[in-house]
Amino acid sequence: GLDEALIVTCSALELLVMAGCNLLLGWLGDRYGHRLGVMIGIISQVLTLVAMLTLPGLAGCLLVFALAGVQMGAAGVSNWNFMVESCPHSNRSAHFTVGNVVLSPICVVAPLAAGALVEMRGLPTVVWGSFGVSVVAALWLLLKVREPRTLKVFDAGGK
Protein backbone atom coordinates (compact mmCIF):
# COMPACT_ATOMS: atom_id res chain seq x y z
CA GLY A 1 0.00 0.00 0.00
CA LEU A 2 2.99 2.37 -0.14
CA ASP A 3 3.44 4.93 -2.87
CA GLU A 4 5.85 3.73 -5.56
CA ALA A 5 8.03 6.85 -5.20
CA LEU A 6 8.38 6.16 -1.47
CA ILE A 7 9.42 2.57 -2.15
CA VAL A 8 12.08 3.75 -4.59
CA THR A 9 13.31 6.25 -2.01
CA CYS A 10 13.44 3.52 0.65
CA SER A 11 15.54 1.39 -1.69
CA ALA A 12 18.46 3.79 -1.16
CA LEU A 13 18.81 2.23 2.28
CA GLU A 14 19.82 -1.05 0.62
CA LEU A 15 22.82 0.62 -1.03
CA LEU A 16 23.89 2.38 2.15
CA VAL A 17 23.72 -0.80 4.21
CA MET A 18 25.45 -2.77 1.45
CA ALA A 19 28.36 -0.29 1.40
CA GLY A 20 28.73 -0.48 5.17
CA CYS A 21 28.56 -4.28 5.13
CA ASN A 22 31.20 -4.46 2.42
CA LEU A 23 33.58 -2.67 4.76
CA LEU A 24 32.54 -4.45 7.96
CA LEU A 25 32.34 -7.96 6.52
CA GLY A 26 35.60 -7.49 4.64
CA TRP A 27 37.30 -6.46 7.87
CA LEU A 28 35.74 -9.34 9.84
CA GLY A 29 36.50 -11.82 7.09
CA ASP A 30 40.14 -10.83 6.89
CA ARG A 31 40.48 -11.46 10.62
CA TYR A 32 38.18 -14.43 11.27
CA GLY A 33 37.47 -15.95 7.87
CA HIS A 34 34.78 -15.24 5.29
CA ARG A 35 32.55 -18.18 6.24
CA LEU A 36 31.15 -15.94 8.98
CA GLY A 37 30.14 -13.28 6.43
CA VAL A 38 28.58 -15.88 4.15
CA MET A 39 26.50 -17.10 7.10
CA ILE A 40 25.49 -13.53 7.98
CA GLY A 41 24.41 -13.08 4.36
CA ILE A 42 22.30 -16.24 4.30
CA ILE A 43 20.65 -15.41 7.63
CA SER A 44 19.87 -11.89 6.45
CA GLN A 45 18.40 -13.37 3.26
CA VAL A 46 16.10 -15.62 5.30
CA LEU A 47 15.06 -12.69 7.47
CA THR A 48 14.48 -10.52 4.39
CA LEU A 49 12.12 -13.09 2.92
CA VAL A 50 10.20 -13.44 6.19
CA ALA A 51 9.94 -9.65 6.52
CA MET A 52 8.63 -9.37 2.96
CA LEU A 53 5.70 -11.60 3.83
CA THR A 54 4.95 -10.48 7.37
CA LEU A 55 5.76 -6.79 7.88
CA PRO A 56 3.56 -4.30 6.05
CA GLY A 57 3.98 -0.57 5.74
CA LEU A 58 6.95 1.76 5.83
CA ALA A 59 8.76 0.00 8.69
CA GLY A 60 8.54 -3.34 6.87
CA CYS A 61 9.74 -1.76 3.64
CA LEU A 62 12.74 -0.16 5.35
CA LEU A 63 13.61 -3.39 7.16
CA VAL A 64 13.42 -5.40 3.94
CA PHE A 65 15.76 -3.01 2.13
CA ALA A 66 18.17 -2.90 5.09
CA LEU A 67 18.31 -6.69 5.35
CA ALA A 68 18.70 -6.99 1.58
CA GLY A 69 21.64 -4.59 1.87
CA VAL A 70 23.29 -6.89 4.43
CA GLN A 71 22.75 -9.84 2.10
CA MET A 72 24.12 -7.98 -0.92
CA GLY A 73 27.15 -6.81 1.06
CA ALA A 74 27.84 -10.37 2.14
CA ALA A 75 27.38 -11.65 -1.39
CA GLY A 76 29.86 -9.12 -2.70
CA VAL A 77 32.67 -9.42 -0.19
CA SER A 78 32.26 -12.62 1.76
CA ASN A 79 31.08 -14.95 -1.01
CA TRP A 80 33.76 -13.78 -3.43
CA ASN A 81 36.57 -14.07 -0.89
CA PHE A 82 35.23 -17.41 0.31
CA MET A 83 35.41 -18.71 -3.26
CA VAL A 84 38.95 -17.36 -3.69
CA GLU A 85 40.06 -19.02 -0.45
CA SER A 86 38.38 -22.33 -1.21
CA CYS A 87 40.62 -23.40 -4.08
CA PRO A 88 44.37 -23.92 -4.45
CA HIS A 89 46.12 -20.97 -6.06
CA SER A 90 47.39 -23.05 -8.98
CA ASN A 91 43.80 -24.04 -9.89
CA ARG A 92 42.05 -20.69 -9.48
CA SER A 93 41.54 -19.97 -13.18
CA ALA A 94 39.91 -23.33 -13.75
CA HIS A 95 37.89 -23.01 -10.54
CA PHE A 96 36.53 -19.57 -11.50
CA THR A 97 35.87 -20.62 -15.10
CA VAL A 98 33.88 -23.69 -14.11
CA GLY A 99 32.07 -21.72 -11.42
CA ASN A 100 31.07 -19.04 -13.91
CA VAL A 101 30.04 -21.54 -16.58
CA VAL A 102 27.83 -23.37 -14.06
CA LEU A 103 26.44 -20.36 -12.18
CA SER A 104 25.92 -17.88 -15.04
CA PRO A 105 23.03 -19.79 -16.66
CA ILE A 106 21.42 -20.25 -13.25
CA CYS A 107 21.67 -16.50 -12.59
CA VAL A 108 19.85 -15.85 -15.86
CA VAL A 109 17.25 -18.63 -15.77
CA ALA A 110 16.28 -18.44 -12.08
CA PRO A 111 14.90 -14.86 -12.16
CA LEU A 112 13.05 -15.56 -15.42
CA ALA A 113 11.56 -18.74 -13.97
CA ALA A 114 10.67 -16.92 -10.74
CA GLY A 115 8.88 -14.21 -12.74
CA ALA A 116 6.87 -16.84 -14.61
CA LEU A 117 6.06 -18.59 -11.33
CA VAL A 118 4.91 -15.30 -9.77
CA GLU A 119 2.52 -14.87 -12.71
CA MET A 120 1.14 -18.39 -12.23
CA ARG A 121 1.13 -18.79 -8.44
CA GLY A 122 1.70 -15.35 -6.94
CA LEU A 123 4.59 -13.67 -5.17
CA PRO A 124 4.15 -15.39 -1.78
CA THR A 125 4.73 -18.80 -3.40
CA VAL A 126 8.06 -17.67 -4.85
CA VAL A 127 9.13 -15.95 -1.63
CA TRP A 128 8.32 -19.02 0.49
CA GLY A 129 10.16 -21.22 -2.04
CA SER A 130 13.17 -18.91 -1.81
CA PHE A 131 12.87 -19.06 1.98
CA GLY A 132 13.04 -22.86 1.89
CA VAL A 133 16.10 -22.87 -0.37
CA SER A 134 17.78 -20.26 1.83
CA VAL A 135 17.16 -22.25 5.02
CA VAL A 136 18.65 -25.36 3.40
CA ALA A 137 21.67 -23.29 2.30
CA ALA A 138 22.13 -21.96 5.84
CA LEU A 139 21.96 -25.45 7.30
CA TRP A 140 24.39 -26.79 4.68
CA LEU A 141 26.87 -24.00 5.40
CA LEU A 142 26.53 -24.47 9.15
CA LEU A 143 26.83 -28.27 9.15
CA LYS A 144 28.96 -29.16 6.11
CA VAL A 145 31.14 -26.22 5.06
CA ARG A 146 34.35 -25.39 6.90
CA GLU A 147 36.41 -22.24 6.86
CA PRO A 148 38.88 -22.75 3.97
CA ARG A 149 41.77 -21.23 5.94
CA THR A 150 41.58 -24.10 8.43
CA LEU A 151 41.72 -26.86 5.81
CA LYS A 152 44.93 -28.48 4.61
CA VAL A 153 44.79 -28.21 0.82
CA PHE A 154 47.23 -29.76 -1.63
CA ASP A 155 48.13 -27.98 -4.81
CA ALA A 156 48.09 -29.65 -8.25
CA GLY A 157 51.62 -30.92 -7.73
CA GLY A 158 50.67 -32.79 -4.54
CA LYS A 159 52.58 -30.41 -2.27
Side-chain angles (χ1 to χ4, degrees), residues 14-30 34 69-79 81:
E14 181 178 343
L15 296 175
L16 292 171
V17 172
M18 182 175 72
C21 280
N22 279 330
L23 295 170
L24 178 62
L25 294 176
W27 183 84
L28 284 172
D30 288 345
H34 292 285
V70 174
Q71 191 280 325
M72 295 292 287
V77 167
S78 301
N79 288 0
N81 280 299

Side-chain angles (χ1 to χ4, degrees), residues 137-155:
L139 290 172
W140 184 268
L141 182 68
L142 183 66
L143 300 173
K144 296 291 185 181
V145 178
R146 300 290 161 243
E147 176 62 42
R149 295 177 188 185
T150 65
L151 301 175
K152 184 169 175 75
V153 179
F154 297 99
D155 66 15

Side-chain angles (χ1 to χ4, degrees), residues 3-70:
D3 180 62
E4 290 177 6
L6 179 60
I7 294 170
V8 172
T9 302
C10 291
S11 71
L13 183 59
E14 181 178 343
L15 296 175
L16 292 171
V17 172
M18 182 175 72
C21 280
N22 279 330
L23 295 170
L24 178 62
L25 294 176
W27 183 84
L28 284 172
D30 288 345
R31 280 149 189 79
Y32 305 106
H34 292 285
R35 182 177 175 268
L36 171 65
V38 174
M39 182 56 87
I40 289 169
I42 292 173
I43 290 169
S44 67
Q45 181 168 307
V46 168
L47 294 174
T48 301
L49 295 165
V50 170
M52 285 177 66
L53 292 170
T54 61
L55 300 174
L58 181 59
C61 184
L62 288 169
L63 182 61
V64 165
F65 279 118
L67 288 168
V70 174

